[in-house]
Amino acid sequence: MIVFSEVVKRYPGGHTALDGISLEIERGEMVFLTGHSGAGKSTLLKLIAAIERPTAGLVTVNGQNVGRLNRHAVPYLRRNIGLVFQDHKLLFDRSVMENTILPLMIAGATRREALKRARAALDKVGLLEREKSMPITLSGGEQQRLCIARAIVSRPALLLVDEPTGNLDAEYAAVILGLFQDFHQVGATIVIATHDERALALPRTRTVHLELGRLA
Amino acid sequence: MMRWLRYHRHAFLLALRRWLGNPYAALFATLAMAAALALPGSLYLGYANLAQLGGRLPAQPQITLYLKADIDGATLARLRQRLMHDGELASARFVSKTDALAQLQADGLANPLAGLSDNPLPDAWVLTPKDPSPGALAHLSREYANWPGVDQISSDRMWAERLAAALALVQTLALFIAALFAIALGAIAGNTIRSATLARREEIQVSRLIGASDAYLRLPYLYQGLLQGLAAGAATLLILALLMSLLDGPVGTLSALYGSRYSLLFLSPSQQALLVCFPALFSWLGAWLSVTRTLHRVDRPSS
């Protein structure tokens, strides 16, 4: 589903985040990307979602060269990808519910259908009773879970997750990882960047280790 | 199709909420745009009213010969003979002093004469030359001036032409100013929308990350521009209506002093509709330019 071949990503200013990565992720796989901060985990995720473009090499998702994707095609790629950000990227001027339904509204769902699916997603992350709250009133862990609800609400075939358990206590970390596993069970492809050792104890998962922009 | 309608409904409601959610910004932008529109609008109204007055003047160039009050019958008959057979005239019409007074009374302009015991108006010949050029008019006027029995000559076409020229000037000026203010209008609207988009920079970034296209992001701002323009057009209409009602009294008094009844001309319904739609169009254009520019600047991936 995802193929990296000889991918180099150099940021303006000269920092080389990825240095000749070749990697293949099959449909339905659950992959952990590990490595120290600055090893290139976030950059790798950004290249898959066309948030960044490779300096050299080829990144394809479902056979599409996402590095050369037309500007107008990018939104349609992203609608099939659920993104969980390290910094959550919530909209603080609207409620938990309005944040959750945003991807569905963008995809053109009816409001009634969107509300129904958003409640299911919020229920999964344990935030259903907070649907009318504003994100600013949520704890760091709750904001993280809201971000996850927003990522899974449109049931994407591919979920890209950046440091999901960093802000969570052990109990909720297990719940969230269980959530990703459930999602994996129903056929989604999941790539999780983490340096959390707890995550790596999960069965039937593959680990890709990055070090200074190279596979190790 | 349903999805398209949903997008538009959603964007429109969002625009309405944002617009009304910031009433002072909306009010000031509306006032600025309406003030900018009222200037060419009132200039146009002035033009339309003067043109309406001018339109009552003869369209054909005419020369009027006013005859001496003490003219004798033989001279009058010779004059008639010469004018009726003049090859350079298309028509020649005799207006007696009695007819002239009756005409003035019909026009409601006879009041200044009401106090006089006898009719002070002269007999006259109204002539229409075959050649309507100013040169031919001047030539004929000079010739008739030397005829016996002729007191004064006026060529009423002359000041009508001057009025038409002045009106053409005003019209050109109004169009030019309207064009300038259309640009100003687009700029005001664009600037309002620009601050709106910059305030929502983060929302634009996040929405993009979860699959929003530029068209989707642009739509609410376009509606906001449209609403802004419609409000400005409606406000301009109100300002002009207010101006007319303020002027209506003085103009009525003035025309009454001349023994006439002149009522001011306002915009026709189609012109009123145009006045509301035109700013809406330019405001929409301004919004489109500024939101497209912002979308291009926010968050382009590096490579």
Side-chain angles (χ1 to χ4, degrees), chain A residues 52 71 78-79 106 108, chain B residues 6-7 203 208 211 214 302:
Chain A
E52 297 288 355
R71 203 163 63 76
R78 299 226 179 115
R79 285 178 203 180
I106 286 172
Chain B
R6 265 203 301 279
Y7 279 135
E203 179 183 319
R208 265 208 179 128
D214 281 7
S302 62

Side-chain angles (χ1 to χ4, degrees), chain A residues 9 51-53 71 75 78-79 83 85 89-91 93-94 102 105-110 150, chain B residues 3 6-7 10 18 200 202-203 206-214 216 296 300-303:
Chain A
K9 175 63 188 177
I51 298 169
E52 297 288 355
R53 291 173 188 263
R71 203 163 63 76
R78 299 226 179 115
R79 285 178 203 180
L83 288 167
F85 306 95
K89 296 202 188 299
L90 302 172
L91 296 176
D93 64 340
R94 54 188 81 189
L102 196 60
M105 298 313 285
I106 286 172
T110 64
R150 188 182 62 188
Chain B
R3 176 176 299 196
R6 265 203 301 279
Y7 279 135
H10 180 244
R18 283 179 189 169
R200 298 185 171 275
E202 203 189 339
E203 179 183 319
V206 172
S207 302
R208 265 208 179 128
L209 286 174
I210 54 186
S213 62
D214 281 7
Y216 175 88
H296 272 278
R300 290 268 144 246
S302 62
S303 56

Side-chain angles (χ1 to χ4, degrees), chain A residues 123-140:
Chain A
D123 193 28
K124 273 207 184 109
V125 299
L127 281 178
L128 190 54
E129 72 281 9
R130 304 296 301 272
E131 64 170 276
K132 290 194 177 64
S133 309
M134 297 307 273
I136 198 74
T137 65
L138 302 182
S139 70

Side-chain angles (χ1 to χ4, degrees), chain B residues 131-140 142:
Chain B
D131 181 356
S133 69
L137 283 175
H139 167 74
L140 284 176
R142 271 197 306 278

